[in-house]
Amino acid sequence: MGYQSMWESGGPRIAADLRPDTPHPARMYDYYLGGKDNFPADRAAAEKALAANPEFRSTARANRGFLTRAVRCVAELGVDQFLDVGTGIPTAGNTHQIAQAVDPAARVVYVDNDPIVLSHARALMAGAGPGRTTVLQADLREPTAVLEAVRAEGLLDFSRPVGLVLAAVLHFLRDEDEPYRAVATLLAALPSGSHLVLSHGTADFIPASVRDRVTGVYDRATAPLVGRSREQVREFFDGLELLEPGVVTVPLWRPEEEPAPGAERVSMYGAVARKP
C-alpha cells in the first residue's frame, strides 16, 4: 500500500474516498464522543452498538482520559517525540495538544489509514505549538511501510526515545492481521528509553450474547471489533518494563480523581511501558 504524506507542494492533499455509506469505526468512535465528523451510516451503526452495550460511550470517554494521562506521563519523563498510529478523527485532547502542553517543542506524527483523517488535518494542526505536527496516511497492518513513511519525511529522530501511541486501534485487527507482529516491528525500530502507550478493547466483562451483537455490527463496518483478554493485551508489552499500575482498565490507570463505581469492569484495558 505504501503511504501518503498530507503535505505536498501546493498544500495538503485531501483523500476523497470517504465511503459514507459504510460505517467506519473511527467515525463511530467520533459519534460516541459526541463529535460531528460522521455520516448517517456511522450514526445508525453506533446506535445499534449502543443498544447492545450502552457503555460504549462512557468507555470511549474513559479511553480519551487514559490517553491524556498516559501521553502527559511520557512527555513529563522527557520524551519529546511521538508516533501515534491509528489516531482516528481529530477531537479535543489530541496527542500533540497533550505533549506540547508539557513541551511546546515536542514533535508528533499521526498515522491513520482513513482518508477522513486527512480531510480534517488542517483542524488537527490548529493551535499547535512550535513543535512539528504531521499526518501520514498508512496502515498499521503494514508496520514497515509506516516506518518507511516516517523516515522518508525525516519526521522523527529514531536515535532518541519515541513515544509510540496505539490507543484503541489494535482491536480492529484480526489475528490474521498479525497485530503482535505489527507492534513488535514498530518497537524494534525505537531505541532504549522509548515508551509504548496502548489501550485495547476487551470482552472480559461482556456477556457472550452482547458480545455477539456488538461484533455483528462491526462486521458490517469497514473493520471488525476483536476484544482480547487482559492476558492477551499484556502480551503486547512482552520485553518492556510496565509502568505502575500495569495493565488495568483505562479509568484505573493513574486516575486523577476517585474512579466511578464499576471502573474495574470498563471494557478497555490500558498500560504504558518503557523499552529497556
Side-chain angles (χ1 to χ4, degrees):
M1 287 185 182
Y3 75 97
Q4 290 181 334
S5 171
M6 189 194 78
W7 300 107
E8 306 206 341
S9 58
R13 176 178 178 176
I14 303 301
D17 182 19
L18 300 181
R19 300 176 65 184
D21 296 331
T22 303
H24 192 290
R27 298 192 297 256
M28 293 169 65
Y29 186 76
D30 176 73
Y31 179 75
Y32 299 145
L33 289 171
K36 301 184 184 302
D37 297 312
N38 46 72
F39 297 113
D42 305 309
R43 295 191 285 274
E47 285 295 342
K48 289 181 180 178
L50 287 168
N53 184 4
E55 295 181 1
F56 260 131
R57 182 165 279 126
S58 59
T59 298
R61 291 171 178 166
N63 182 65
R64 293 301 294 187
F66 162 76
L67 177 68
T68 297
R69 299 190 303 276
V71 170
R72 185 170 59 230
C73 169
V74 174
E76 289 175 346
L77 289 171
V79 176
D80 63 358
Q81 49 182 356
F82 290 81
L83 176 59
D84 186 332
V85 185
T87 179
I89 297 170
T91 188
N94 292 287
T95 297
H96 77 281
Q97 295 167 320
I98 304 163
Q100 290 169 0
V102 176
D103 180 355
R107 289 191 170 197
V108 178
V109 176
Y110 292 109
V111 177
D112 203 284
N113 68 349
D114 184 2
I116 201 171
V117 172
L118 296 186
S119 71
H120 287 271
R122 279 180 173 169
L124 179 69
M125 300 303 162
R132 185 176 180 184
T133 307
T134 312
V135 180
L136 300 177
Q137 187 173 12
D139 197 314
L140 177 58
R141 290 169 295 186
E142 298 182 8
T144 301
V146 171
L147 294 168
E148 290 173 350
V150 178
R151 290 191 177 108
E153 300 271 332
L155 300 173
L156 299 177
D157 179 358
F158 285 103
S159 69
R160 298 191 301 109
V162 174
L164 174 61
V165 180
L166 297 168
V169 62
L170 288 162
H171 48 236
F172 297 126
L173 273 61
R174 301 183 191 273
D175 290 344
E176 53 264 36
D177 293 322
E178 301 182 282
Y180 295 99
R181 179 189 62 83
V183 175
T185 300
L186 294 173
L187 285 171
L190 307 182
S192 174
S194 294
H195 285 70
L196 172 61
V197 174
L198 184 151
S199 60
H200 194 299
T202 183
D204 281 358
F205 315 113
I206 300 175
S209 59
V210 174
R211 179 196 62 209
D212 292 344
R213 288 172 62 194
V214 170
T215 55
V217 172
Y218 278 86
D219 284 344
R220 291 185 288 275
T222 60
L225 184 62
V226 184
R228 294 185 169 92
S229 69
R230 184 178 183 277
E231 184 55 39
Q232 289 173 317
V233 173
R234 173 65 180 79
E235 289 179 26
F236 286 111
F237 296 93
D238 283 354
L240 305 180
E241 300 169 348
L242 277 166
L243 276 59
E244 291 293 335
V247 178
V248 294
T249 59
V250 287
L252 298 183
W253 198 89
R254 301 192 179 186
E256 296 172 344
E257 55 187 34
E258 186 67 24
E264 74 283 357
R265 297 181 63 82
V266 168
S267 298
M268 184 88 68
Y269 288 119
V272 178
R274 180 185 182 275
K275 182 175 179 179

